[in-house]
Amino acid sequence: SYELTQPPSVSVSPGQTARITCSGDALPKQYAYWYQQKPGQAPVLVIYKDSERPSGIPERFSGSSSGTTVTLTISGVQAEDEADYYCQSADSSGTYKVFGGGTKLTVL
Amino acid sequence: QVTLRESGPALVKPTQTLTLTCTFSGFSLSTSGMCVSWIRQPPGKALEWLALIDWDDDKYYSTSLKTRLTISKDTSKNQVVLTMTNMDPVDTATYYCARTQGRTGTALDYWGQGTLVTVSS
C-alpha cells in the first residue's frame, strides 16, 4: 500500500525556521495537505494543495513541493507551534487518502 | 458554520461490531462535491484514513480494512454512519469524521472532535 514518509521529530528554538518533509512516490501527481494536531485536539488544516494557506492560519506557515517531497515550513517558530504535524495526500489514482506517520515539532 | 460531531459507544468487546455516527451541520451531502471521511488514531499513533462517502453515494474504503467497513449516509438527517465488524483491541482509537469538498484533490477542511473507542473484554 502507498505510504508517506515523515521524520518522527524536529526540534527548533523559538524564532528559528522549522522544516518538516514528507516523501511519497505519488506526490508529483497528487496534492499534499498538512494538519497540525495539539494534544487532545482534532487536527487542523494548515496548508492545502501543497502551498495554499487557509484563512486564519498565520503567514509563518508555508508549503512547497519538489518532485516526490513536500515541505512544511514554519518561519519564526513560536512556542504555540509545538504540536504533531501530519502530511496527507492520495495514491496515484487519487481515490485513497493516506497520512504520513506524523512529525513531532518541539520548540526548545 | 460547518460542524461535525461523532457519537457511538465508548467501549466495545472483541468480535463485536462498532457503529459510529457522524452528525454534521453547515453543509449538505446532497450538494455536488460534498464528501465525508472517517479517520482514526490509536493512542499515541498516527492518523489513518478509513473510508469516504460522497454526494453521489459512492463509497471508498481503506484497502487494508475494506472487508470490515461499511459507510452509509442519511441525507435527510445530515448523518454518516460507519460500521466496523469483528472489533479487536488493536482497533482502540479515537475515531474522527471530517468533510472534504470533492472526492479527490481536496483537503479535510472541517473535523469533528473525535470519539474514543476502547476495545476490551
Side-chain angles (χ1 to χ4, degrees), chain A residues 68-86:
Chain A
T68 59
T69 299
V70 293
T71 303
L72 172 69
T73 300
I74 310 171
S75 305
V77 166
Q78 301 182 6
E80 65 197 53
D81 300 330
E82 186 164 284
D84 293 326
Y85 291 85
Y86 293 92

Side-chain angles (χ1 to χ4, degrees), chain B residues 10 82 84 100 108:
Chain B
L82 181 76
M84 180 180 292
T100 58
L108 298 151

Side-chain angles (χ1 to χ4, degrees), chain B residues 18-106:
Chain B
L18 171 68
T19 300
L20 295 172
T21 301
C22 175
T23 303
F24 56 87
S25 63
F27 68 98
S28 172
L29 254 184
S30 61
T31 300
S32 179
M34 291 299 173
C35 309
V36 171
S37 278
W38 284 94
I39 303 101
R40 71 177 180 179
Q41 185 174 37
K45 296 190 177 181
L47 300 166
E48 178 184 17
W49 177 78
L50 300 177
L52 178 149
I53 189 165
D54 71 14
W55 71 99
D56 212 20
D57 210 32
D58 290 323
K59 302 158 188 177
Y60 304 89
Y61 298 99
S62 161
T63 53
S64 61
L65 291 168
K66 68 179 299 181
T67 60
R68 299 174 54 204
L69 296 173
T70 302
I71 192 170
S72 62
K73 65 183 174 74
D74 186 332
T75 304
S76 65
K77 293 183 179 179
N78 280 351
Q79 290 182 334
V80 171
V81 174
L82 181 76
T83 63
M84 180 180 292
T85 61
N86 195 23
M87 294 292 285
D88 183 271
V90 300
D91 296 313
T92 293
T94 296
Y95 287 76
Y96 296 98
C97 60
R99 184 190 81 160
T100 58
Q101 298 187 72
R103 188 183 301 126
T104 62
T106 58

Side-chain angles (χ1 to χ4, degrees), chain A residues 44-87:
Chain A
V44 172
L45 179 69
V46 294
I47 293 290
Y48 67 98
K49 291 188 177 181
D50 293 345
S51 59
E52 300 294 321
R53 193 173 54 251
S55 61
I57 300 301
E59 290 184 7
R60 63 180 181 273
F61 288 86
S62 64
S64 61
S65 176
S66 178
T68 59
T69 299
V70 293
T71 303
L72 172 69
T73 300
I74 310 171
S75 305
V77 166
Q78 301 182 6
E80 65 197 53
D81 300 330
E82 186 164 284
D84 293 326
Y85 291 85
Y86 293 92
C87 63

Side-chain angles (χ1 to χ4, degrees), chain A residues 36-45, chain B residues 6 41 96 111-114:
Chain A
Q36 177 194 68
Q37 187 180 35
K38 296 183 178 179
Q41 298 183 18
V44 172
L45 179 69
Chain B
E6 305 87 353
Q41 185 174 37
Y96 296 98
W111 295 62
Q113 282 303 300

